[in-house]
């Protein structure tokens, strides 16, 4: 569960109050578990606000870049779905471009 490792939030907007309420509830029940938000914005002020107000560390990256970096480090994406195959996967309609 979320108590054992860390939580990574991707594709979420803090303006969505329904998701925000649930994330806040989860956040309060997982004190001590590191939380991360991935979005491309290199802004120290935003990064500090996320951490001081929400105890969430921000990773300056797109989700695609983040997955590529993680896969390069631990090789978890199946060979046929590797980033190098992106254009082929798009042309087959398996992923969006």
């Amino acid at each position: 569960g979320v108590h054992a490792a860390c939580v990574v939030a991707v594709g979420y907007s803090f303006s969505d109050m329904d998701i925000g309420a649930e994330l806040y509830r989860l956040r309060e029940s997982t004190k001590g578990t590191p939380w991360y938000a991935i979005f491309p914005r290199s802004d120290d002020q935003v990064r500090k606000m996320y951490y001081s107000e929400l105890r969430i560390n921000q990773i300056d990256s797109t989700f695609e870049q983040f997955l590529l970096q993680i896969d390069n480090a631990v090789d978890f994406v199946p060979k046929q779905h590797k980033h190098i195959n992106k254009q082929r996967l798009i042309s087959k309609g398996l992923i969006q471009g």
Side-chain angles (χ1 to χ4, degrees):
V2 293
H3 298 281
C6 70
V7 176
V8 178
V10 179
Y12 160 71
S13 169
F14 279 106
S15 63
D16 184 324
M17 295 309 228
D18 293 329
I19 294 173
E22 184 60 17
L23 285 177
Y24 182 79
R25 187 192 67 73
L26 282 170
R27 181 72 186 107
E28 289 303 301
S29 71
T30 60
K31 290 187 188 278
T33 300
W35 277 56
Y36 300 90
I38 300 168
F39 58 90
R41 183 169 176 183
S42 182
D43 183 329
D44 284 336
Q45 188 172 6
V46 169
R47 190 172 291 120
K48 287 176 186 173
M49 183 277 300
Y50 267 67
Y51 192 77
S52 66
E53 299 294 322
L54 304 167
R55 295 183 320 275
I56 295 175
N57 297 291
Q58 185 249 340
I59 297 172
D60 177 17
S61 180
T62 66
F63 186 52
E64 180 180 352
Q65 292 165 342
F66 178 74
L67 283 180
L68 178 59
Q69 290 173 344
I70 295 292
D71 187 48
N72 286 340
V74 298
D75 192 30
F76 77 99
V77 175
K79 186 175 181 179
Q80 68 271 23
H81 298 297
K82 296 279 185 194
H83 192 269
I84 196 165
N85 297 319
K86 180 180 176 181
Q87 289 307 316
R88 184 180 56 77
L89 295 167
I90 291 170
S91 67
K92 287 186 161 195
L94 297 173
I95 63 172
Q96 294 181 355

